[in-house]
Structure formats: C-alpha cells, structure tokens
Amino acid sequence: MMRTRPVSPLAALPTFAQLYSSTELEMLPTTEQMTSAWLVGIDDEAPLGALGLRSTPAHGLEVMGGALPGPDQTQAALALLQAALGTEPRLYAYAEEHLWPISALEAAGLRPVGAYSRLSGPVPGGEVMVPDGFQLVPMSEASAEDILAAQHAYEHRIGHTHVTPEAVQLITERNDLALSRLAYDASGEAVGLCWAQLYGGLAAIDSPAVRPDLAGSGLREALLLSVCAAVAQAGAVHMTLESWGDTEPERAHDLALGLGIEELNVMYGTEATTI
C-alpha cells in the first residue's frame, strides 16, 4: 500500500539527490532551505519520491522534488502533493514531466500560474529610450548595497526565492558587471537591474527586473536594450534570455525583438494568474 510520511528535509536528502541526478553534497544547500518534507513509498520498500517545500517572498511555497519514473510515478506524485496541500494551501511546482506529471498536478487541483522561459535569437538593436527621471549605469559602477537592493525587484514574481546577500554574491560572480546594467530613479534609489554574461559570440541575459510600481513605465525595455547594446559592442551576435515569472505582455515584447521560444516550462499552483 502506498503511503506518505512527513520527514525532516535532511532525512529525504538521499531521495532528493536521486531525483535531481545530483550528489547529496550538491543538494544539501537547497535541502537546508526547505521548511518541511514528505517521502512516499509502498510499505517498507525504497521511496518512490520526495516532496520538499521552500518559502518564497510572494507566492506561498515552492514545491521541490518529485516522484521517480516508473509505473507508480503519477500515483506517487499525487500522494505527495495531496500530503503537502493538507498543511500548506498556497503552493506551486514546475511541471517537469520526469518529476511532476501534469496529470498529477491537475488531479491535485493545481492550475497554470506562471512559467520559466528561455528565449533565443540574434542580439536585437534599437534605440535605448530611458524614461525621464531614471538613469542606467553599468553594474561595475554600482555598489554592492545597490545591487542587493535592486535584486529585490525580482521578489514579487513567481519562481523567485528570497534575496540574500550570499545569493546575490554568487550571481555577481557569474555575470559580467561591465555588461550588466542597474537602474536608479531620480532620488538615487536602485530600482531595477539586468544581468548579462558573454561566452564568445553568445550573450546569456537574465530578464530585467524593475520595482513592481514601475511596470509599464518603459524602464524594463530600456534595461534590456541597454544590455543588448553592451553585449553587441563586446562581440555578441546571438543571445539567450531567461526569465522566471515574466508576464505575457513582457514575453510578447521580447518576442517582437526577434527572439524565439527555446523552452517554456509552465508552473502549476493554487492561485491562477496570467502566464
């Protein structure tokens, strides 16, 4: 008989590592972020899957883990989701079929609430039109405190976790600060940013973030085109653009620049929004 049981996240670490084809050491930092966890299995046999919950700033808890491939995967995934929903009403999970089959997510009552997307194409040109009262600067000219403050502009979006100085330090180390851009408002407050890295002729760009009240101001578009101009000048001819939780109008804007969808991974959750 299939059963779920609550466990500490660390107790489920071996199963999480198996699910993500990772080592326990590699999975440990993510596991330590989890607030609760469950294992599922048949009697005393090896676990068929594990679910862990990670807190987010604005969208309840993110579902981590999944059910291992096999004939019992969908049933095991549904059992885990129902166990978590019994204690936490606001959840979302990435619909990765090898971890969370869509049929299990839908049977648990979850619906599309957002998406991860990866767009790609030639680096677009275009005039950078910065809205009045704002200034864009290379991130290499910004302080660590301002970069940390601007990074908080992502937190209202589904798919993003809490901003910590340690996480921002890691992001800073893997990006090119001379190509990345930070936005200031007229008062000198950091209100948005866009990260970029260059790999020969390929630029890897993260979708820009701006403070929620500045959505629709044109600042997001200015950040993106400013970064595109910088990477093009540095030799990039092709780019990828990754985003977590961008809205349909934002994605439409990026597609209109000549980019195409390379990957789209829908998030399923308990609160329906526009993806």
Side-chain angles (χ1 to χ4, degrees):
M1 180 177 180
M2 188 173 295
R3 293 187 176 90
T4 59
R5 57 187 176 94
V7 296
S8 71
L10 287 178
L13 177 58
T15 306
F16 287 128
Q18 184 180 3
L19 287 163
Y20 289 108
S21 300
S22 179
T23 67
E24 292 185 26
L25 184 61
E26 290 169 334
M27 275 302 302
L28 182 59
T30 300
T31 304
E32 290 177 336
Q33 297 172 0
M34 298 179 188
T35 59
S36 52
W38 290 261
L39 286 172
V40 64
I42 297 176
D43 297 327
D44 295 327
E45 297 178 8
L48 296 173
L51 182 152
L53 296 178
R54 179 167 64 175
S55 64
T56 70
H59 296 275
L61 296 165
E62 179 183 1
V63 172
M64 309 291 293
L68 293 164
D72 297 313
Q73 184 186 38
T74 298
Q75 183 183 356
L78 178 57
L80 285 168
L81 291 166
Q82 289 174 331
L85 286 166
T87 60
E88 302 290 348
R90 297 181 66 218
L91 305 176
Y92 72 88
Y94 288 89
E96 298 176 277
E97 282 287 334
H98 67 291
L99 296 172
W100 299 110
I102 291 177
S103 57
L105 294 168
E106 291 179 340
L110 276 58
R111 298 293 179 262
V113 295
Y116 159 82
S117 67
R118 178 183 171 94
L119 310 184
S120 63
V123 177
E127 182 181 0
V128 180
M129 301 181 64
V130 181
D132 291 342
F134 296 92
Q135 179 186 12
L136 306 186
V137 302
M139 215 173 288
S140 54
E141 300 177 10
S143 67
E145 292 77 15
D146 285 349
I147 294 174
L148 178 62
Q151 186 73 16
H152 283 283
Y154 283 112
E155 285 191 324
H156 67 289
R157 294 184 177 272
I158 192 167
H160 287 270
T161 55
H162 294 278
V163 171
T164 65
E166 295 77 16
V168 176
Q169 179 62 33
L170 291 174
I171 297 170
T172 300
E173 291 172 357
R174 71 170 183 254
N175 284 279
D176 189 322
L177 299 187
L179 301 177
S180 304
R181 292 291 182 267
L182 190 140
Y184 289 100
D185 66 11
S187 68
E189 180 181 352
V191 295
L193 78 174
C194 184
W195 296 99
Q197 180 59 281
L198 194 62
Y199 303 94
L202 172 67
I205 302 174
D206 285 352
S207 184
V210 298
R211 204 172 59 194
D213 61 298
L214 298 175
S217 67
L219 184 60
R220 177 191 182 276
E221 293 81 356
L223 276 165
L224 179 56
L225 288 177
S226 178
V227 167
C228 287
V231 298
Q233 187 174 6
V237 295
H238 197 86
M239 65 173 280
T240 60
L241 182 66
E242 286 191 288
S243 72
W244 289 260
D246 278 3
T247 64
E248 282 188 343
E250 289 167 342
R251 191 176 303 118
H253 169 272
D254 299 341
L255 293 173
L257 294 175
L259 303 177
I261 295 177
E262 187 175 300
E263 182 180 350
L264 187 68
N265 188 350
V266 177
M267 304 174 206
Y268 277 65
T270 53
E271 297 179 351
T273 60
T274 301
I275 64 172

